[in-house]
Amino acid sequence: ESSDIFTAADNASENGNDDLDSAEHQPFDWDTLQLDQMYVISPATVPQFLHATVKDIRPERWLQNNSVPEYKFIPASMIFLAARFAHHLGTPDFLDSFLAEAIASIIHEVQSHKHDPVSLAFWISNIQTLIYFLKRDSTLVQITSDAQGRMSECMQDAYALLVKAVEFEIEPLIDPSLLAYDSMPELFADVKFEAEKSQRLSMFFFGGQADNTRKSSDGRPLRRSQTLLSQNKDGRGRRSSLIPATKTSPSGGPATASGSVPAWVSCVEHLKGSASSFKHSTGASITKRTSSCDTYVSGRSSHDNGLSSNGSASVFSTPSPRTVCYILDCLLDLLEICEIHPFVIWGVMRQMFCYLGGEMFNRVLTTRDFCSRSRAMSIRMNLSHISEWVRTNEKRLVPPPV
């Protein structure tokens, strides 16, 4: 039965790595089919097989099992071994139908967890690994070219959903953490703002009308920023209470809007702790394959940011530039734990920085209260935290040479 592979995996985790050590002396034969390098399936058992290897997979369970790093590639490995059997010992059409059903199951799983960065990163990792396996097999590389194309499209969709899910959590933090946050309120304590009679922007982006009165076709004000800066008695800027309360459910809004820790961030914290304890207990070192297309990290500990679960709760309850840096750090750790290719990691992080830069630029230009010299200095100081985080993680962000 297909479920036996998971029972065997748990037993291997409990009994140690003896079986894996013996398997290391038997290199995988990519050119010919060996009896112990395939998985026997039949058309009748394909639904049950895909249910066990795709639908019932819980990514956090396999990612935290650092005693056997290869377990995080269980779906890709099992589908590849079954595809070898279907091609060599099955009927001519069996391989095509099997891969079609496998791809459809993966697509359904990706779409079902489009709000969960952990699941999306897990499936991006397994899709890229499965494509790599099919390209390495000399007999499957040509016959599965169409399936590889569909897998690449599925990986692109998962990539876009991952970026969108993280942007969804960052969006409500841009105003209170970067634009309206006062890192040094005493610096601008004596700043007095003159009341403008015209109440207009110096740059007439909306046909020369004031941004407080200009409205769109549906009657809503043309202001992107949800945070308005008003003046208190001592002249300092403060965040207005006009920010609407947002639900924490995926359908109602991001958890960060209410000051809660996102579920995927808590999961990454747990995975980081598991990886760190494994490294300290076994002394595992970083091992990489030589090919740039075959770069995976085994036994790698995530970047330690020195925050406990209680510390992360305080970071999200009081938004600041540190909150955005913490989300970026968790995202980078997640991608490394899933052993996603460095070029994909670089693309995801680059997309995050492009989103932050573009969204902040638009909000500053379309919000009159942000267009002042004192506010510009405050925003620049807030962005220095992001710049410092990038310099600290420079080696993790730069992809290796081809």
Side-chain angles (χ1 to χ4, degrees), residues 182-332:
D182 288 328
S183 57
M184 299 178 65
E186 66 279 358
L187 187 63
F188 307 107
D190 299 330
V191 175
K192 302 294 183 180
F193 292 88
E194 281 189 14
E196 296 179 291
K197 295 181 180 180
S198 61
Q199 295 294 320
R200 298 187 182 189
L201 283 171
S202 59
M203 303 176 69
F204 299 96
F205 285 96
F206 302 128
Q209 299 188 30
D211 62 333
N212 288 336
T213 57
R214 179 72 172 177
K215 297 183 178 181
S216 60
S217 58
D218 57 358
R220 294 180 300 174
L222 287 175
R223 177 185 284 113
R224 292 178 60 86
S225 179
Q226 294 180 352
T227 300
L228 303 179
L229 297 176
S230 58
Q231 301 301 315
N232 53 21
K233 294 182 179 180
D234 55 3
R236 278 183 279 175
R238 62 180 176 84
R239 283 183 286 119
S240 173
S241 60
L242 296 178
I243 303 178
T246 313
K247 299 178 181 179
T248 58
S249 61
S251 59
T256 52
S258 60
S260 304
V261 181
W264 72 273
V265 172
S266 301
C267 182
V268 173
E269 291 174 348
H270 179 70
L271 295 176
K272 287 160 60 177
S274 177
S276 178
S277 62
F278 169 70
K279 180 179 180 180
H280 292 308
S281 62
T282 62
S285 60
I286 299 176
T287 58
K288 294 185 178 181
R289 300 190 180 106
T290 56
S291 173
S292 61
C293 294
D294 190 17
T295 304
Y296 299 108
V297 183
S298 299
R300 181 170 184 173
S301 176
S302 302
H303 179 64
D304 184 15
N305 51 26
L307 288 178
S308 62
S309 58
N310 294 332
S312 63
S314 63
V315 168
F316 284 93
S317 62
T318 307
S320 67
R322 191 185 182 194
T323 309
V324 178
C325 293
Y326 190 68
I327 290 181
L328 295 176
D329 200 69
C330 287
L331 175 60
L332 184 55

Side-chain angles (χ1 to χ4, degrees), residues 92-158:
D93 298 333
F94 184 32
L95 176 62
D96 293 336
S97 61
F98 168 71
L99 289 178
E101 292 186 40
I103 294 172
S105 299
I106 295 176
I107 292 175
H108 180 269
E109 196 68 16
V110 168
Q111 294 293 334
S112 300
H113 297 84
K114 59 183 179 181
H115 298 294
D116 183 11
V118 175
S119 296
L120 294 173
F122 176 81
W123 285 112
I124 290 175
S125 176
N126 273 271
I127 293 172
Q128 72 174 17
T129 304
L130 180 56
I131 294 175
Y132 168 76
F133 287 161
L134 294 176
K135 290 183 179 295
R136 278 293 304 269
D137 192 293
S138 59
T139 59
L140 293 176
V141 60
Q142 295 294 337
I143 197 173
T144 61
S145 58
D146 293 340
Q148 294 176 34
R150 295 196 298 272
M151 292 178 192
S152 298
E153 295 176 357
C154 179
M155 181 176 173
Q156 294 174 9
D157 293 340

Side-chain angles (χ1 to χ4, degrees), residues 1-12 48-54 56-58 61-62 71 74-75 78:
E1 299 293 337
S2 57
S3 59
D4 293 344
I5 186 64
F6 301 104
T7 304
D10 291 336
N11 294 334
Q48 183 181 2
F49 172 83
L50 295 177
H51 190 278
T53 57
V54 178
D56 281 352
I57 286 289
R58 291 182 298 171
R61 172 190 177 188
W62 299 104
Y71 282 178
I74 282 289
M78 293 302 301

Side-chain angles (χ1 to χ4, degrees), residues 6-28:
F6 301 104
T7 304
D10 291 336
N11 294 334
S13 176
E14 296 175 357
N15 299 331
N17 299 336
D18 296 339
D19 295 338
L20 291 177
D21 293 338
S22 61
E24 289 180 355
H25 299 86
Q26 301 176 359
F28 193 88

